[in-house]
Amino acid sequence: MPSAGVPYGHSTPAIFGENLYDDQGVGVYGRGNAFGAYCSGTNGVLGIAKRKTATNGACIWGYPTEAPDAGKTIYSGLFQDNDLAGVIGLADFGGGFTTKPFNTPSDRRLKTDIRNATVGLNAILQLRPKQYRYIASTPYNFPKGEQEGFIAQELEEVLPGLVEDLVFPKSLDPKDMAASGTETYKGINYTGLIPVITKAIQELNDKIEAQAAIIDRLDKELKACSKKD
């Protein structure tokens, strides 16, 4: 455990802070060169926003106050699984948005065994797009209303690399989530469909160009026959 200042708590709760006197009140405040707060447990940090009169609130808020020195980086939020079996870097069971796009690392220097894609139009023609609604009785806050997409088990038959098993806790209640057990569902990497669709469009374009060349040749032959007559 990192070295700690005082006080050090060893009870339930180990450290408790409360400040309910103003809108900017801080319950617990920590500063450190490595960690401002170090939390270890079944749930490392549990953030609960309970002040319903607040204009805006956040359970966990990453808020950098200054830019790092040149060549250095600050992550407002950093989640990693350390490639440990059964560990998920980030799970979000609610709606949301981002004001900037998420980028997937795709630098050539990070890749090996690079080759031209061969999966395209034939795979796309085997897919079966569906309209559906999510079951409302689950605790996972899925989107409401009619959805467009695929059934993971069906897509897995055609593009198995785009389907992955996702482990969900059976309960999202902080009091019993750890002991609630898990349920495994299949998920789809929809972004991974983009290169397959791109390849399919390219193959279709090749077919169109080939057909256009045939039509052009037949048109010229027909005109040549007309002149002879």
Side-chain angles (χ1 to χ4, degrees):
M1 185 183 75
S3 59
V6 291
Y8 173 75
H10 190 72
S11 62
T12 304
I15 298 175
F16 176 79
E18 183 177 88
N19 185 336
L20 304 177
Y21 299 104
D22 61 77
D23 289 339
Q24 303 299 320
V26 176
V28 177
Y29 178 82
R31 294 182 66 184
N33 289 331
F35 300 96
Y38 180 88
C39 304
S40 176
T42 302
N43 296 294
V45 176
L46 173 61
I48 301 176
K50 295 185 67 174
R51 188 104 185 263
K52 64 181 181 180
T53 58
T55 303
N56 296 291
C59 293
I60 298 176
W61 187 5
Y63 188 76
T65 58
E66 57 184 359
D69 294 337
K72 299 182 179 180
T73 302
I74 290 177
Y75 299 97
S76 185
L78 176 61
F79 306 90
Q80 63 187 66
D81 60 15
N82 286 335
D83 204 25
L84 299 173
V87 177
I88 297 173
L90 175 64
D92 179 9
F93 296 99
F97 62 88
T98 173
T99 57
K100 293 184 178 180
F102 282 109
N103 294 305
T104 301
S106 194
D107 194 297
R108 178 184 292 273
R109 295 170 297 173
L110 299 173
K111 301 179 180 183
T112 186
D113 194 25
I114 300 172
R115 58 200 185 280
N116 291 330
T118 58
V119 180
L121 183 59
N122 182 59
I124 291 297
L125 292 177
Q126 295 179 63
L127 301 184
R128 290 172 281 177
K130 294 290 194 297
Q131 293 177 315
Y132 54 88
R133 294 176 183 269
Y134 280 105
I135 298 172
S137 59
T138 72
Y140 305 120
N141 197 28
F142 288 122
K144 295 178 175 61
E146 192 164 271
Q147 307 295 315
E148 310 278 348
F150 299 98
I151 303 302
Q153 287 85 347
E154 294 180 357
L155 189 137
E156 189 174 25
E157 296 173 1
V158 183
L159 298 167
L162 299 186
V163 177
E164 185 176 353
D165 287 340
L166 307 177
V167 180
F168 286 38
K170 290 185 177 180
S171 172
L172 297 183
D173 189 323
K175 296 189 296 296
D176 58 20
M177 183 177 72
S180 69
T182 60
E183 190 73 46
T184 301
Y185 300 100
K186 291 185 178 294
I188 294 175
N189 173 13
Y190 278 95
T191 303
L193 283 169
I194 294 175
V196 181
I197 295 171
T198 302
K199 180 66 176 176
I201 293 172
Q202 292 172 341
E203 291 177 1
L204 277 176
N205 185 67
D206 290 342
K207 290 178 180 290
I208 292 171
E209 289 183 347
Q211 291 173 349
I214 293 172
I215 292 172
D216 183 62
R217 177 175 58 80
L218 292 174
D219 183 60
K220 288 179 180 178
E221 293 176 355
L222 181 61
K223 289 179 179 178
C225 290
S226 298
K227 287 181 180 179
K228 290 179 181 181
D229 293 340

